[in-house]
Amino acid sequence: MFMSNPFAELSAQIPVAVMQGYIILMVLLVVGGTILDMMHKKSAKYFFLNAEKEKQNAKRKVGSGEQTVIAVKVLLNEVLTSGEFCNVRRRLSHLLTMWGFILFVATTAILIFGYPTSATPAPTILPQLWHIGALMLAVGGYWFWFFIRVDVSAEGLTWWRLERADLFILSLLATATFALLWSFTEYNGYAGWSTLFLILFAVSGVVLFGGVYWSKFAHMFFKPAAAYQKRTTRADGSREDMPADYDLTDPEVQKRFPDLPEYLGKNPPDMGLGIRREKPSHY
């Protein structure tokens, strides 16, 4: 199963042009949904207006070399490794979901456009990556849904409580799950089940990519830009109108905040367990 290209078998029932048209349609849905999302929320307008405001408040000019370094840091930290997540479980779940989604979508496009029939056998690694990507996506997504979501882990609500905001993660999980079930049933010759799971796979894909306007799908395009802008404001001194970090060893800072030595010294007073006195189960 893991070495079999399910789309090559599917080409005997569905024309290749239809499969390729489906992929093109999904791309158009994402583009259209993202544009509508930007128009509705005015996120792009806010982003550029805020960038201009920060330029006016900048205390120094950031050179092209420094901008390149900032872009590389954003790519390595916020984009590739999700370094903004402090919670290890949340970060691992996000990485599994993100990289699983990328592998799954990329290999789907490669298999359908490059190796759509049995006459053009795909390299073994591609079907393997397709199945691995779907599994990573399912593991990361189900881990998040059942154990990490804030309303489940902190508010004690049931996992089956649904909101419109859950459209993205649920359609994502459905797409990965039905893809794996379709591959399994097709490989083992369960014709009826294979057809059912193929239909559910296609429908969940339409919901996922067609629901961009109502889901958080578009945030993946804004996240790198927002992270880059935030790092730039730290570098040019505008800092989004936030005060600079204090040097707690500076005598002037200690003079301004005379209780610093008492509470941040070598022997601070015992103030109790604070938030650690009970397991976080609410806000």
Side-chain angles (χ1 to χ4, degrees):
M1 168 182 155
F2 280 86
M3 297 182 184
S4 173
N5 176 6
F7 300 103
E9 301 296 329
L10 181 62
S11 64
Q13 308 168 33
I14 298 178
V16 173
V18 174
M19 293 191 290
Q20 294 176 347
Y22 177 87
I23 298 298
I24 294 172
L25 176 61
M26 295 305 103
V27 173
L28 293 176
L29 287 175
V30 171
V31 173
T34 303
I35 293 174
L36 288 174
D37 183 80
M38 289 191 298
M39 292 172 61
H40 173 66
K41 297 177 181 176
K42 296 182 173 57
S43 50
K45 179 181 179 181
Y46 168 81
F47 177 82
F48 287 114
L49 288 175
N50 193 54
E52 288 300 320
K53 176 185 175 183
E54 298 303 332
K55 284 182 181 179
Q56 295 175 3
N57 296 333
K59 295 179 173 54
R60 58 181 289 268
K61 181 177 176 59
V62 180
S64 57
E66 193 172 358
Q67 288 177 348
T68 303
V69 172
I70 292 174
V72 171
K73 287 181 178 179
V74 169
L75 177 65
L76 295 177
N77 189 68
E78 281 84 357
V79 178
L80 298 181
T81 60
S82 302
E84 74 277 13
F85 289 109
C86 297
N87 186 292
V88 177
R89 293 195 313 151
R90 181 68 182 89
R91 185 177 184 183
L92 289 176
S93 169
H94 187 273
L95 286 173
L96 282 170
T97 306
M98 179 185 73
W99 284 111
F101 177 77
I102 292 173
L103 271 179
F104 179 66
V105 170
T107 50
T108 296
I110 293 172
L111 288 171
I112 289 179
F113 282 93
Y115 310 94
T117 66
S118 300
T120 54
T124 307
I125 187 64
L126 289 177
Q128 289 177 335
L129 289 176
W130 186 82
H131 288 92
I132 290 172
L135 282 171
M136 289 173 60
L137 177 52
V139 170
Y142 282 114
W143 187 8
F144 169 78
W145 179 259
F146 287 109
F147 303 106
I148 300 178
R149 280 192 309 153
V150 67
D151 55 354
V152 172
S153 60
E155 295 180 349
L157 300 179
T158 56
W159 61 265
W160 59 83
R161 180 176 180 269
L162 304 180
E163 300 287 348
R164 191 174 71 174
D166 297 321
L167 174 68
F168 175 68
I169 182 63
L170 288 178
S171 58
L172 196 64
L173 286 173
T175 302
T177 303
F178 291 134
L180 290 169
L181 291 172
W182 166 60
S183 177
F184 174 78
T185 52
E186 181 173 319
Y187 179 78
N188 288 281
Y190 304 137
W193 286 107
S194 174
T195 302
L196 173 63
F197 289 131
L198 172 62
I199 294 172
L200 292 174
F201 173 33
V203 171
S204 58
V206 171
V207 174
L208 172 63
F209 296 109
V212 170
Y213 179 74
W214 298 278
S215 74
K216 60 178 292 185
F217 194 107
H219 93 286
M220 67 178 65
F221 304 113
F222 301 128
K223 177 183 172 182
Y228 176 82
Q229 185 183 38
K230 183 176 181 179
R231 285 181 178 267
T232 301
T233 61
R234 297 296 188 271
D236 64 20
S238 58
R239 299 183 61 85
E240 299 176 315
D241 296 329
M242 298 295 291
D245 294 330
Y246 289 114
D247 179 5
L248 300 183
T249 62
D250 186 350
E252 290 298 322
V253 174
Q254 294 184 2
K255 182 179 179 181
R256 183 177 178 182
F257 305 102
D259 57 346
L260 280 177
E262 178 182 354
Y263 290 102
L264 298 178
K266 293 182 179 179
N267 297 302
D270 184 3
M271 301 180 68
L273 293 175
I275 63 173
R276 293 181 298 173
R277 65 174 171 263
E278 63 175 308
K279 182 179 179 181
S281 58
H282 52 75
Y283 290 108

